[in-house]
Amino acid sequence: MSHKLLVYHPEARIYGGILAKKLPFLEICNASEPEEAIDFVEQAEIILSWKIPDDLLKRAKRLKWFASLGAGNEHLIHNPYIPPSIPFTKVTIYGEMMAEYVFAYLLASIRNTGKYDEDQKRKRWDPQKPERLRGKVLGILGLGSIGREIAKKGKQFGMTVLGVKRNPEPVEDVDQVFSTREIRKMIPLIHYLINTLPLTPETHHLLGKEELGLMKEGTILFNVGRGKTIDEKALIQTLRQDKIKAVLDVFEEEPLSPESELWCFENVIITPHVSGINLPEEICEEFGKNYERWRRGEPLTGIVDREKGY
Ligand code: OXD
């Protein structure tokens, strides 16, 4: 039986093209603008999208599955046009590539790559010893698919891995799991703090002045989760003291305003929300496997828990 899939995304044709080859029995409408979807949406049983106008979504009266193209779905979680009775799934493949991002900057920092680049430009031979990741303490906020992949890589580098999780049960590759309430106990113990948290009412500004003030001298803070989980004003104040460093991929407002003081710090690296890359082949592979499960009536992977908010 053929099912009707609406792919709504600026790159819908790329996604739809891959899916048409993989799942030839699907009837697919690829749309980047509402006008392209308006006739099809009423028939659509599955929508694959991340940002879709309400005016379009509300017409999807036959919707049986909303498959998000993103990992964080705070903007969709309470959308009244995605009924609670139908599955809502998220992409869960970002862990490996986001771990690559984190370790790219961790390794560059520990092995002094910036210093050697500068030395080379000046023809300077200065064998000042770099450090090692082995033995360093990594603290991860959020132990979902992304946090767990970062933990796994941390263990491979011989690091001690600590983590914060809403329900602090044991997690593979994590030496000690703290509850969200115990976050202040963990922060002073670590060399690197990696924030992978989704945005929910509980995580909004979870890292504020006090938590940031607990970081020991030289700690590097990474934010690859959501900008609003860190109080940006408090972060700017902390960074002014030049005690910690930060690698920031997400911000309270994106794109980051040219007026933001964050651009001006020497102890900050800024990247434009690229730690998880939308790779259509990988995303379609995950969707395709889920579609087969859906067709067979089996439980789907990546179900969003709408109570928890992620
Ligand atoms: C996401 C993203 O998919 O941040 O959540 O890109």
Side-chain angles (χ1 to χ4, degrees):
M1 192 179 80
S2 142
H3 289 113
K4 294 188 166 56
L5 165 70
L6 169 64
V7 185
Y8 190 85
H9 188 266
E11 292 184 335
R13 274 162 198 78
I14 300 181
Y15 286 93
I18 298 169
L19 289 173
K21 284 198 198 118
K22 225 182 243 309
L23 307 167
F25 34 87
L26 269 180
E27 197 178 317
I28 306 178
C29 166
N30 303 317
S32 306
E33 300 295 334
E35 309 77 72
E36 295 172 301
I38 204 91
D39 293 335
F40 189 89
V41 70
E42 290 179 15
Q43 309 295 319
E45 296 160 279
I46 311 169
I47 294 183
L48 183 61
S49 184
W50 195 51
K51 287 200 172 141
I52 177 160
D54 273 0
D55 277 351
L56 200 54
L57 192 55
K58 75 176 176 206
R59 293 169 182 252
K61 298 277 189 249
R62 299 211 179 151
L63 190 61
K64 297 199 178 87
W65 169 20
F66 187 90
S68 166
L69 279 168
N73 292 289
E74 63 279 359
H75 57 298
L76 285 169
I77 219 111
H78 298 299
N79 190 302
Y81 306 118
I82 307 178
S85 54
I86 67 162
F88 179 163
T89 55
K90 62 185 166 190
V91 171
T92 64
I93 57 155
Y94 289 122
E96 203 177 87
M97 56 182 117
M98 290 172 78
E100 271 176 19
Y101 171 95
V102 167
F103 280 90
Y105 287 101
L106 275 187
L107 289 164
S109 142
I110 201 102
R111 301 305 303 224
N112 287 343
T113 58
K115 171 195 155 29
Y116 299 127
D117 285 353
E118 281 309 310
D119 286 355
Q120 181 177 347
K121 280 183 210 140
R122 293 180 172 73
K123 301 187 180 168
R124 194 168 70 173
W125 183 268
D126 172 19
Q128 187 201 95
K129 272 195 199 141
E131 289 184 62
R132 296 220 48 203
L133 283 185
R134 180 167 294 281
K136 295 279 188 303
V137 186
L138 186 64
I140 305 172
L141 300 182
L143 292 168
S145 56
I146 298 164
R148 287 200 304 271
E149 198 58 45
I150 296 169
K152 182 167 142 196
K153 299 278 185 300
K155 278 279 134 204
Q156 286 164 353
F157 279 111
M159 304 176 86
T160 298
V161 180
L162 310 181
V164 166
K165 192 172 180 310
R166 194 177 148 130
N167 302 319
E169 74 252 355
V171 173
E172 203 180 338
D173 297 314
V174 183
D175 297 292
Q176 192 176 351
V177 181
F178 295 79
S179 68
T180 316
R181 274 209 253 118
E182 295 172 316
I183 192 168
R184 292 186 193 169
K185 269 200 209 161
M186 186 191 83
I187 291 177
L189 307 176
I190 56 167
H191 296 102
Y192 307 110
L193 183 60
I194 320 293
N195 179 23
T196 74
L197 290 171
L199 181 64
T200 69
E202 289 78 37
T203 64
H204 184 264
H205 284 190
L206 188 73
L207 289 183
K209 189 168 170 238
E210 284 192 42
E211 290 73 22
L212 296 167
L214 290 171
M215 291 190 194
K216 60 180 173 218
E217 179 104 36
T219 302
I220 308 183
L221 165 69
F222 284 74
N223 195 5
V224 293
R226 281 290 182 261
K228 289 190 171 128
T229 58
I230 303 185
D231 178 346
E232 213 163 270
K233 281 205 185 99
L235 177 61
I236 289 175
Q237 280 168 12
T238 311
L239 287 165
R240 282 190 199 134
Q241 296 160 17
D242 209 15
K243 200 181 116 195
I244 66 160
K245 298 180 185 158
V247 178
L248 305 172
D249 189 46
V250 289
F251 303 87
E252 290 218 29
E253 295 300 332
E254 294 179 14
L256 183 63
S257 155
E259 310 304 321
S260 171
E261 194 180 332
L262 285 173
W263 293 106
C264 312
F265 290 107
E266 295 227 340
N267 48 342
V268 174
I269 292 173
I270 287 174
T271 57
H273 202 138
V274 288
S275 56
I277 318 152
N278 274 350
L279 295 174
E281 282 289 350
E282 291 185 31
I283 290 176
C284 289
E285 166 102 29
E286 183 176 54
F287 174 81
K289 287 190 187 147
N290 240 356
Y291 174 70
E292 292 301 345
R293 289 187 195 99
W294 187 72
R295 229 162 50 117
R296 293 193 295 261
E298 293 170 9
L300 303 183
T301 60
I303 290 280
V304 173
D305 182 327
R306 283 178 258 195
E307 289 272 304
K308 289 188 186 157
Y310 53 89

